[in-house]
Amino acid sequence: MAAPGPAQLPALQGLLKAPSKDAVRQLCQECFSSPPAGLGPLALRTSAGLALSPAEAEQLVSALHGLTRHVVYRGLTRAEDILSLFPETFHQNLKNLLTKIILENISAWRNEAQASQISLPRLVDMDWRVDIKTSSDSISRMAVPTCLLQLKVQEDVALCGNSPVVSALTVELSKETLDTMLEGLGRIRDQLSAVANK
Amino acid sequence: MGLLNFTRDPVPEAVSGDLHNLNQLSAQQFSDLTQVLFSFLTEPKEVERFLAQLSDFATMNKISLGPLKNIVKSILLVPSGALKRNLSSEQVRADFIALGLSEEKASYFAEQWKVNSPTLTRLAVGQTLMINQLVDMEWKFGVTAGSSELEKVGSIFLQLKLVVKKGSQTENVYMELTLPQFYSFLHEMERVKTSLESFT
């Protein structure tokens, strides 16, 4: 995510018309969270709220989105790094306020970015039960334990938007299958410890 | 005939006749035939081998293959019923005698039944219905280096591919787990193992 250039950031000075610091905070959050497609409607609301022309609101929202996303992308954590993004002539107090707001939110925004990154369907829940099979058509008396495992898997968040699709898969495992699975999982755990200890 | 242990249904007429015919085999011949039968019962997929062995037996002992096959069909009724009903070797012996087989041969067969029944039982249990049986699990884990939103990430991901048998086809299910989820999953699976072990 390229840094917003010196031509774009002055548009942020429209924020000087904001009624309160909290309003600025709110707008920063909304601009960060909004996908590029959502910036249009956000700009309209901002234009009304801050008494700016639609064009000015659009530039403001776009610049704020770009700025917040850039800081999160680069993982900037020091005030000096953020301050240096603004042009020399930028309003001093507004620059300090924005830097402060960004620093407050940076770790929450980072988590938000990580949670919404693309991935395979994610495991969201698992349940299990153990049954004993006592009889079947091939053998009338037995006592065979078996495990039923239900995995709830959620499709990629980015694709589902606000209505995530969760599908449940129930699998049956015999004792042998479970032992083999545990062997595999144990190997993963050992490798993870090896990596962690390096 | 009296009540049989291996079945509640009436036995086909031909069975008695077939088993009486068996009495004419020598002890050695009967022993060889029994061997062929049990090697088929313990490996039911080896149909061609079974038929080949029967054909060899027929040739070596100067018996026609057609009647031999009928006799074999009759004999096999007893072990398959016995397996379903968890019969003891005593009960198998009694049924053969009731059907007309000589005591000596019935005892021999029942002995072989006793020796082979653990294998046969395991096979029958293995054929029992399983819903969405898990047949394979593949995994990989690694580190997410970066993304379009975050230049440097450095978080660990774990991906699993589960191969599930649905009817006669297999279906692949892919999923991703975070590290805490993985440890929780491992912990739960260990609890399942403890539970399953306490019931064996």
Side-chain angles (χ1 to χ4, degrees):
Chain A
M1 186 121 301
Q8 294 161 295
L9 287 178
L12 291 175
Q13 291 181 131
L15 286 170
L16 291 166
K17 288 181 165 185
S20 68
K21 288 189 183 159
D22 278 335
V24 176
R25 213 166 254 127
Q26 173 81 1
L27 194 58
C28 285
Q29 176 66 50
E30 286 176 4
C31 286
F32 173 76
S33 299
S34 167
L39 290 177
L42 183 57
L44 286 172
R45 290 202 301 276
T46 312
S47 153
L50 295 180
L52 293 168
S53 76
E56 286 173 332
E58 254 184 63
Q59 283 171 349
L60 171 83
V61 152
S62 171
L64 198 47
H65 172 83
L67 174 67
T68 50
R69 292 245 170 144
H70 174 77
V71 173
V72 169
Y73 177 75
R74 296 295 309 283
L76 302 176
T77 48
R78 296 183 314 163
E80 307 88 77
D81 296 329
I82 303 175
L83 288 167
S84 66
L85 293 171
F86 293 89
E88 290 273 321
T89 52
F90 200 88
H91 189 284
Q92 196 65 13
N93 288 346
L94 181 60
K95 182 167 72 174
N96 290 335
L97 175 65
L98 283 172
T99 304
K100 177 161 171 269
I101 292 174
I102 290 174
L103 284 175
E104 278 170 6
N105 283 295
I106 199 127
S107 75
W109 284 346
R110 212 186 140 75
N111 289 339
E112 199 178 308
Q114 251 185 294
S116 60
Q117 76 189 4
I118 58 171
S119 77
L120 287 182
R122 293 184 195 182
L123 181 70
V124 289
D125 197 13
M126 71 158 277
D127 287 306
W128 58 267
R129 91 176 189 211
V130 165
D131 286 348
I132 312 279
K133 297 190 209 193
T134 54
S135 175
S136 80
D137 60 326
S138 49
I139 189 159
S140 66
R141 237 183 27 242
M142 57 178 169
V144 177
T146 185
C147 170
L148 285 173
L149 178 65
Q150 184 183 75
L151 300 163
K152 290 215 183 88
V153 174
Q154 184 183 68
E155 289 302 316
D156 195 352
V157 170
L159 291 173
C160 303
N162 285 327
S163 46
V165 176
V166 178
S167 49
L169 171 73
T170 307
V171 286
E172 188 170 342
L173 289 84
S174 66
K175 187 164 175 312
E176 291 74 34
T177 313
L178 178 71
D179 286 339
T180 310
M181 184 196 240
L182 273 174
E183 218 182 303
L185 293 177
R187 252 180 280 144
I188 299 176
R189 181 193 47 206
D190 295 338
Q191 290 194 26
L192 283 171
S193 326
V195 166
N197 288 335
K198 280 219 180 80
Chain B
M1 189 165 294
L3 278 175
L4 291 165
N5 295 310
F6 77 93
T7 181
R8 255 179 280 217
D9 300 326
V11 173
E13 289 281 328
V15 176
S16 254
D18 286 335
L19 291 183
H20 272 112
N21 283 338
L22 268 181
N23 290 330
Q24 289 169 20
L25 290 177
S26 73
Q28 182 60 47
Q29 287 171 320
F30 185 72
S31 155
D32 292 341
L33 184 61
T34 308
Q35 200 122 331
V36 170
L37 290 177
F38 274 105
S39 88
F40 172 61
L41 284 174
T42 51
E43 285 169 304
K45 295 208 175 130
E46 300 286 342
V47 179
E48 280 185 25
R49 185 186 74 187
F50 174 56
L51 291 174
Q53 286 176 333
L54 269 186
S55 177
D56 288 343
F57 182 84
T59 319
M60 273 199 326
N61 294 289
K62 306 215 189 358
I63 306 173
S64 341
L65 190 54
L68 178 65
K69 283 191 181 169
N70 286 334
I71 292 175
V72 162
K73 240 194 286 190
S74 292
I75 305 176
L76 286 177
L77 287 175
V78 179
S80 62
L83 193 58
K84 269 196 201 179
R85 285 147 179 267
N86 299 97
L87 295 185
S88 67
S89 65
E90 256 311 302
Q91 290 168 306
V92 169
R93 181 175 165 275
D95 277 355
F96 270 120
I97 294 178
L99 287 170
L101 198 59
S102 73
E103 263 196 45
E104 192 199 326
K105 292 190 166 70
S107 298
Y108 180 77
F109 196 95
E111 255 312 299
Q112 293 307 303
W113 166 258
K114 197 162 163 188
V115 166
N116 283 291
S117 67
T119 312
L120 293 172
T121 312
R122 228 175 297 132
L123 267 173
V125 169
Q127 277 167 6
T128 306
L129 184 67
M130 275 196 104
I131 315 282
N132 285 357
Q133 186 183 7
L134 182 68
V135 289
D136 196 17
M137 177 179 91
E138 287 175 28
W139 51 267
K140 73 173 172 211
F141 74 87
V143 174
T144 304
S147 74
S148 47
E149 311 304 318
L150 296 163
E151 191 181 31
K152 290 198 190 62
V153 180
S155 59
I156 298 184
F157 67 84
L158 174 73
Q159 283 172 358
L160 286 181
K161 169 182 158 191
L162 301 173
V163 182
V164 177
K165 195 157 157 206
K166 288 198 161 180
S168 53
Q169 296 168 310
T170 57
E171 186 183 303
N172 298 332
V173 181
Y174 299 91
M175 63 185 79
E176 200 167 302
L177 284 77
T178 63
L179 219 48
Q181 281 178 322
F182 165 71
Y183 284 112
S184 166
F185 184 63
L186 177 58
H187 178 67
E188 288 303 308
M189 290 292 99
E190 285 179 339
R191 285 176 73 200
V192 175
K193 178 174 167 143
T194 312
S195 177
L196 283 179
E197 279 180 345
S198 72
F199 287 116
T200 352

